[in-house]
Amino acid sequence: MFNLLLLGALFVFAVAIALFLYRVCKGPSIPDRIIAMDAIGVSLIAMMAILSILLKTDAFFEVILLFGILSFIGTVSFAKFIERGVLVDYDRNR
Amino acid sequence: MEFIGAILLILGCLYIGIAALGVLRFPDFYSRLHASGGAETLGMFLSISGLILIEGFTQTSLKLLIIVVFILLANPIGTHTISRAAYRSGLKPWTKKGE
């Protein structure tokens, strides 16, 4: 019964990722694409957690943590790139 | 305990679906951010909390708890940063009459 529930949850997350992917392809401005990519990252994290419970394995957690950190760093660096135009600014007095 | 976990997982899936629908259908960037930032974080939090309650108190659920705390800290910071960057780079909010 719980396997069926977990499979249904995986299906819902897959549909949500498909909708976010449409917004990534279509999105009129660059921040739209960035928040859709961030949402895809969070959905993938939840999907991997459900999959690791479903397969009763312990091997996915480092991947999940690394994926979360990379998604966060990617969002923040894209935001800084939009705001300033550069990724690493050498002038510290701005 | 597993029953409460199942209810939390179903609620989390519902919130993720609402977030996806909002990102798909809202008219401009800030309202899409309003859908994505709140409902996505809450849906992820509810579904992984449900997984913790289904799993019980083991090492696996402890690692899941670490992941939940990290995402719960990181995701609102990312939302705030991207909204501030979009506003400062000159993206105008959508209004009903002035296109």
Side-chain angles (χ1 to χ4, degrees):
Chain A
M1 181 229 170
F2 275 111
N3 280 346
L4 205 62
L5 181 73
L6 293 177
L7 283 178
L10 274 182
F11 178 72
V12 172
F13 277 102
V15 171
I17 283 179
L19 296 183
F20 288 137
L21 206 58
Y22 173 77
R23 183 50 70 191
V24 170
C25 295
K26 179 130 184 306
S29 62
I30 299 172
D32 283 320
R33 298 168 204 256
I34 297 171
I35 60 162
M37 287 300 284
D38 188 43
I40 285 178
V42 173
S43 305
L44 272 181
I45 287 168
M47 273 181 87
M48 279 191 278
I50 293 172
L51 206 61
S52 68
I53 298 292
L54 190 64
L55 297 179
K56 292 182 173 52
T57 178
D58 208 1
F60 286 162
F61 290 104
E62 285 81 11
V63 182
I64 295 173
L65 205 56
L66 201 64
F67 204 88
I69 294 171
L70 279 181
S71 172
F72 173 61
I73 299 277
T75 305
V76 170
S77 57
F78 261 119
K80 191 177 176 189
F81 179 69
I82 288 173
E83 190 174 345
R84 300 247 173 111
V86 291
L87 208 55
V88 182
D89 47 357
Y90 296 100
D91 187 10
R92 292 178 186 270
N93 294 324
R94 283 173 64 174
Chain B
M1 197 63 103
E2 290 182 345
F3 189 66
I4 303 173
I7 290 176
L8 283 185
L9 187 59
I10 291 171
L11 268 179
C13 289
L14 198 67
Y15 271 103
I16 292 284
I18 290 172
L21 209 61
V23 170
L24 188 68
R25 289 292 296 164
F26 271 150
D28 79 325
F29 167 69
Y30 297 103
S31 47
R32 271 177 219 140
L33 196 67
H34 172 68
S36 163
E40 181 80 27
T41 310
L42 185 60
M44 197 278 319
F45 172 67
L46 284 179
S47 50
I48 297 189
S49 303
L51 287 183
I52 290 172
L53 285 183
I54 286 175
E55 180 68 22
F57 188 72
T58 56
Q59 194 181 1
T60 306
S61 64
L62 198 65
K63 286 178 181 176
L64 281 178
L65 190 67
I66 293 173
I67 291 164
V68 161
V69 169
F70 176 72
I71 299 292
L72 212 57
L73 282 177
N75 213 358
I77 296 175
T79 305
H80 169 75
T81 314
I82 191 68
S83 72
R84 191 185 61 178
Y87 187 72
R88 283 189 182 171
S89 72
L91 192 64
K92 288 283 183 290
W94 179 81
T95 54
K96 198 168 183 179
K97 49 180 188 293
E99 283 289 319

